[in-house]
Structure formats: C-alpha cells, structure tokens
Amino acid sequence: IRELASDFHSPWFLSLFPSMSVPAPLPSSTANWHWKNKNVTRWGKEWFESELTTINIAGKGSQVVSISSVTDFDGDVELGQRKSKLITIFDCKVVCEWAGTTEDGTEVKGTVTVPEVSHEIVVDRLSDYVYNWTLTTPSSPAVDSVFALAKSRLPSALESKFSQFVVVLVDTHGKDLTVSADPSRSATPLASSGSGSAPAKSAVPAAAPAPKPVEKKSKINTTKINLESTFMAAADDLFSLLTDQNRIPTWTRAPAVSAAKADTEYSLFGGGVKGKYVSLTAPSEIVQTWALASPSWPTGHFATLSTSLKQGSDSTTVSFELDGVPTGMSEEIKHNLEGYYIQGFKSIGYVQLILTPSYIQEPSPKSKPKSSSGESTSYATALTLAAIVLVAAFAIPYLSTPPASK
C-alpha cells in the first residue's frame, strides 16, 4: 500500500494525469490526534524467543542457570496512538524452559511460567509478577541448590527484559503510527528548479508569513489554571519524577526527553507535550514553557508551567500553575493535568492525601438571648404541666368516689 501511495505522488504518475490534483496531507498534529492501532503479536513472540534466551546467570562456584527456550507464548501485543501519545497494549503468558549446572557438572532442568506479562504489571505496577516453577531433574542437595539459584535470580533478569520490551516496542513500531511533518509539495519543485528567479520567489513567501504568527499570538486570549495535590512522598523524589528522563516514562507510560537544565528543551508523553526549561530549583520549583501537540492548541503558542513542591513533615504538596492557556481550553487542559500528571503519580503507587478541613460555626451573639429565652420558656411550661398532672393525680380518686349515704 505504501509503495502504491508513493507511486501516486511520483512525477511519472502525475504526468499521466496532468489535471489531477493531489490533496494536501493532513498536518502532523491532526493526523496524530485520532486513534490508531497496530497489532504486533507475532513480532512480540519472536522478540521474547530471541531475547529471553540470552539470560545467563552465574552462581556459587561453577553453578550456572539460564533460559534455554521459550516454549509457549499466548496473548496479544499492540501499539496504539491517541492524541499524539503512543500507548503499549499487551497481555501475554510466557512459558520458558530453564537449565542449570551444579558445581559437579550435573545438568538441571525445569520450567518457569509467567501467567501475566502486561502493561498493567510492567508499566503501571498495579500488581506483582507471578512465577510458577517446576523441577524436572530428580532432586538432590546439589540440584536443589541450583533450583534455589534459579528461583532467586532469574525473576529479576526476566523483569529487566520485560521492561526493555516496552521501550523496544515503541522504538520499533512507533514510527509506523506517528506522522512526521514533511515539507509541502509546492516547495519541492521550487527547490529543484535551476532558474535564479525561483529561489527569489520562494524567499518572498517564506518571509511574508513570519509576522502572521506574531499577530496571532497577540490576539490569543488566555487564562490561568491552578491545581494542587498532596502526596506521601519526599519533595526531592517528586522533583526527580518530574525531571529525570529515566523516571518520567514510569508515570507517563511513554518516551521522554529531559536534560533537566535551564534553557534546554524537553518532551513528554511521546511528544504530546513539548517546551523548554526556564529554571529549576531542586527540589522546590520547576518553571518551564509548555505546549500541547493538539490541533486545538494555537501553533507556536507556549504557556508557562510553574510547579512548586512544598515539603511537609510526612508529605509534599505539589502546586501546578499553568499560565497562558487559551480561553476555552481551560477545562480540557485542567482535566489533562489531573489525568496525566496527578493520576500518573497515583498509578505508580504514590498515595494522594485528600485534605478535607472541618469548620465549626460559632453561634452568633444575637442568637444566644433567643436560645436562652426559648429554653426558659420551655422549662416553665414543663413545670406548669407537671404541676397540673400532679394535682389531677391526687384529685381523681376523690372525684371518682361516690359520696357516703346518710
């Protein structure tokens, strides 16, 4: 299909239909906004078969354990894209044969089954891995020692490969879903023209659009968004999560670029958010420009995101202030900040504290006399009723007894 599409835009094809006009491609921001999906289950199976068998661990003395083969792979592997964000979708069952050697050279074999290798476990850390082990070699002290080595050391090696799988999946297949910005077709003939006038003409339009973005920027009405959340974590830990290139993907679930230095560019959510660091004061404040890769976000416009972290005795309050949000997008952007930043932290185990202050309303001075008067009136009424009941209790026997006959 790609070859056919490229033929449609080739010079020889267009020469056959000179009156045919080729529609302009969609902007990359628009093309990457809608949901796209690619199934790569077969590729995933082959990756596990080739990569897991490279695991080899040395133990005490001459003890060795390794993954000898992947005997079963069941599940699905997909890569999706939504709103310019690449999302890994996979849930697999992996069965491996492992082999080892005792110190005296005896060969040991068995199997290990990982019932679930999924995005929820590898990336979100919503639950722990489960390993089901078997030993096919007859038991002996030396064999049991190698078996113990396999159960203690192979899981960490496997989990390292599972984490690597997510990165390789995005790097290998992300380019098939993400549309990059290409030069316009109208500029190509001008660049290839040999005449001297063509470059001069192309230079004029190139200079003319320059003031237009400036005019658009000045006409953009903006607003400010403030968001605050408290987490049971240290400020320096949260500061690292927000700026460390190696830790950012744990809560964004997508590749990131971040040098964490002033005047350097950064990219989050696989390019969904971009900007430049203005200043970083560890571990209390981050100031950065911020732009959303969305068709609704004005081209060339950047807001300013100021993140402050206030360390408490057992928690840290994180305050986000995004200044320069285009009017009409405040609710959408606020929802995105809550969903991707705050919920992102919660998805990897950071506990959010919900602080609900209680208020006790003091009675007004004017109400006190009324309350006192009401209480005294009620008290007097009760005493009166009690007296009437008491008198009636003594009077009834006399009133009900007939008079004695003379």
Side-chain angles (χ1 to χ4, degrees), residues 63-79:
Q63 287 182 338
V64 177
V65 290
S66 62
I67 299 295
S68 55
S69 65
V70 177
T71 58
D72 188 23
F73 178 90
D74 184 25
D76 297 296
V77 180
E78 297 180 358
L79 184 64

Side-chain angles (χ1 to χ4, degrees), residues 72-90:
D72 188 23
F73 178 90
D74 184 25
D76 297 296
V77 180
E78 297 180 358
L79 184 64
Q81 180 177 264
R82 171 67 171 145
K83 296 183 178 180
S84 301
K85 178 182 177 182
L86 293 173
I87 305 171
T88 57
I89 309 167
F90 59 96

Side-chain angles (χ1 to χ4, degrees), residues 293-321:
S294 163
S296 56
W297 187 271
T299 303
H301 175 70
F302 286 87
T304 300
L305 177 62
S306 300
T307 306
S308 63
L309 301 94
K310 186 177 181 181
Q311 177 74 63
S313 58
D314 58 355
S315 61
T316 299
T317 299
V318 184
S319 301
F320 298 97
E321 181 184 275

Side-chain angles (χ1 to χ4, degrees), residues 50-279:
S50 64
E51 290 297 322
L52 297 188
T53 52
T54 62
I55 296 176
N56 189 35
I57 298 173
K60 182 177 64 176
S62 57
Q63 287 182 338
V64 177
V65 290
S66 62
I67 299 295
S68 55
S69 65
V70 177
T71 58
D72 188 23
F73 178 90
D74 184 25
D76 297 296
V77 180
E78 297 180 358
L79 184 64
Q81 180 177 264
R82 171 67 171 145
K83 296 183 178 180
S84 301
K85 178 182 177 182
L86 293 173
I87 305 171
T88 57
I89 309 167
F90 59 96
D91 190 350
C92 314
K93 172 186 175 183
V94 181
V95 181
C96 303
E97 283 188 350
W98 63 270
T101 306
T102 64
E103 292 189 76
D104 60 6
T106 302
E107 188 176 14
V108 183
K109 291 185 178 181
T111 65
V112 55
T113 301
V114 189
E116 182 180 356
V117 180
S118 64
H119 178 100
E120 289 72 20
I121 294 179
V122 179
V123 180
D124 296 341
R125 307 288 185 182
L126 297 180
S127 59
D128 296 329
Y129 291 96
V130 175
Y131 296 94
N132 299 323
W133 299 88
T134 65
L135 177 65
T136 57
T137 303
S139 178
S140 70
V143 170
D144 292 343
S145 177
V146 173
F147 189 25
L149 174 65
K151 291 194 290 184
S152 63
R153 299 283 298 279
L154 284 179
S156 59
L158 287 168
E159 291 170 20
S160 177
K161 288 291 184 181
F162 297 154
S163 298
Q164 182 184 352
F165 172 72
V166 178
V167 178
V168 177
L169 172 59
V170 173
D171 290 344
T172 304
H173 300 283
K175 59 181 179 294
D176 295 333
L177 297 177
T178 303
V179 178
S180 60
D182 293 326
S184 64
R185 293 188 181 91
S186 60
T188 304
L190 294 175
S192 61
S193 174
S195 63
S197 59
K201 291 181 180 179
S202 63
V204 175
K212 292 184 180 179
V214 177
E215 293 178 1
K216 289 183 179 179
K217 287 183 180 180
S218 62
K219 294 181 180 179
I220 295 176
N221 296 321
T222 63
T223 185
K224 184 186 297 184
I225 293 176
N226 289 282
L227 200 63
E228 185 176 283
S229 185
T230 301
F231 294 93
M232 293 184 64
D236 55 354
D237 186 26
L238 294 173
F239 186 91
S240 174
L241 274 177
L242 288 165
T243 57
D244 188 340
Q245 177 173 296
N246 296 322
R247 299 190 67 191
I248 291 174
T250 61
W251 58 273
T252 63
R253 310 178 193 176
V257 176
S258 173
K261 295 180 181 179
D263 203 34
T264 61
E265 295 182 352
Y266 72 90
S267 172
L268 306 180
F269 306 103
V273 171
K274 293 183 179 181
K276 181 181 289 187
Y277 287 114
V278 178
S279 64

